[in-house]
Amino acid sequence: MIRTIVVLSLILMLFVTVGYAQSERKAVRKGNKEFKKGEYLDSEISYRSALELNPASFKGNFNLGAALYKQDKFEESANLYADMAKANTSANANELANVYHNLGNSYFSQEMYEESVEAFKNSLRQNPNDMETKYNLAQAQRMLQQQQQEQDQQQDQNQDDNSDDDQQQDQNQDDQQQDQNQDQQDQNQQEREQQISPEDARRMLEAIQNNEQQVQERVQEEKAKRARVQVEKNW
């Protein structure tokens, strides 16, 4: 009785597994038809349905990445292919070469040329005779070189701008220092002009004294006149 139950359980599990496998393949085939028609969003949905039944499905994941790429979801497709490359290290060389090829395209479309070059090289390590991958690698290398040149030019430009700023700052400091020196010179000149030399001070003192003496003499003369007048008018 127990043996019979075990056998029936195994048969039931086999039928369920076969049913899931058939449903998965059916969903993948449906996605493939939609992909060929250019219905990429619908194909994405179908591939995801297949992956719900079998998350490890190589075809489901690979084709899902292609559907994402066709919708310009380059970052998502790159992440998916990168995960596949890590998880399917034991896959056959041709399958792994295709994964790296599509990974390189996903990076290339994001202008991540250094990562793209490395992905295409990994693809050629698995399939050295793939002419399309060789062409894509050459394109990625050319774009990487151009990108690096532009970055170097931008860096040089930034350095020149910084140098110009430093020169302008130095010039402003020099101008400010010259203005300060000129102000100090003007102030010193004014102080010198305001100062009285000992000779000038002596002359000014003599002039004051002379003026005072003249005033005193005039005062004495006036007193003498008044005295003379009073004497003459003395009744």
Side-chain angles (χ1 to χ4, degrees):
M1 183 64 179
I2 295 176
R3 183 179 299 176
T4 301
I5 294 175
V6 172
V7 172
L8 291 175
S9 298
L10 291 173
I11 294 174
L12 180 60
M13 290 175 61
L14 178 61
F15 276 114
V16 170
T17 302
V18 172
Y20 272 114
Q22 290 178 346
S23 298
E24 173 204 337
R25 288 194 293 269
K26 183 177 179 181
V28 170
R29 287 196 299 268
K30 182 174 181 294
N32 292 343
K33 292 179 181 179
E34 293 163 341
F35 189 93
K36 290 180 180 179
K37 294 179 183 179
E39 300 170 353
Y40 302 119
L41 178 58
D42 292 336
S43 66
E44 176 189 348
I45 295 172
S46 296
Y47 294 137
R48 291 190 184 279
S49 297
L51 291 174
E52 289 179 359
L53 299 171
N54 181 14
S57 171
F58 181 89
K59 290 183 178 180
N61 282 290
F62 186 87
N63 293 354
L64 173 60
L68 292 171
Y69 182 89
K70 285 293 187 179
Q71 297 176 76
D72 296 338
K73 299 177 181 179
F74 304 123
E75 184 177 359
E76 291 184 54
S77 64
N79 292 336
L80 178 59
Y81 286 126
D83 290 340
M84 289 187 67
K86 294 177 182 179
N88 292 276
T89 54
S90 60
N92 66 64
N94 189 57
E95 288 180 343
L96 200 54
N98 290 336
V99 170
Y100 278 118
H101 178 94
N102 284 8
L103 177 60
N105 288 340
S106 298
Y107 283 141
F108 188 94
S109 297
Q110 298 178 78
E111 299 183 1
M112 300 171 63
Y113 301 121
E114 185 173 0
E115 292 82 355
S116 178
V117 167
E118 188 61 29
F120 288 134
K121 286 181 178 180
N122 285 331
S123 179
L124 290 173
R125 290 186 180 102
Q126 303 297 324
N127 185 7
N129 298 320
D130 191 325
M131 295 305 299
E132 184 178 355
T133 302
K134 289 181 179 180
Y135 174 81
N136 289 3
L137 173 60
Q139 288 291 95
Q141 289 173 328
R142 181 177 64 84
M143 295 302 297
L144 176 60
Q145 183 179 7
Q146 179 178 337
Q147 186 182 63
Q148 291 173 340
Q149 290 175 349
E150 292 175 353
Q151 290 175 349
D152 291 341
Q153 291 175 356
Q154 183 63 42
Q155 184 176 3
D156 292 341
Q157 181 64 40
N158 292 338
Q159 290 177 350
D160 291 341
D161 292 342
N162 292 335
S163 177
D164 292 340
D165 292 339
D166 292 340
Q167 291 178 359
Q168 183 62 40
Q169 184 177 3
D170 292 341
Q171 182 64 40
N172 292 338
Q173 291 177 349
D174 292 341
D175 293 342
Q176 184 178 3
Q177 185 63 40
Q178 290 178 0
D179 292 340
Q180 291 176 351
N181 293 339
Q182 185 62 44
D183 292 341
Q184 186 64 39
Q185 291 176 1
D186 294 341
Q187 183 177 356
N188 293 339
Q189 180 66 26
Q190 291 175 359
E191 290 177 353
R192 285 195 297 269
E193 291 176 354
Q194 292 173 0
Q195 291 175 353
I196 301 175
S197 66
E199 183 65 23
D200 291 338
R202 185 183 62 79
R203 291 175 181 174
M204 291 176 64
L205 181 59
E206 290 178 353
I208 293 172
Q209 290 175 346
N210 291 334
N211 289 335
E212 289 180 351
Q213 185 175 358
Q214 292 174 2
V215 171
Q216 291 294 331
E217 290 176 353
R218 284 197 298 269
V219 170
Q220 295 297 328
E221 290 177 357
E222 290 294 330
K223 288 182 177 180
K225 287 180 182 180
R226 287 197 297 271
R228 287 194 297 271
V229 170
Q230 290 176 356
V231 171
E232 291 176 354
K233 287 187 177 182
N234 187 4
W235 299 96

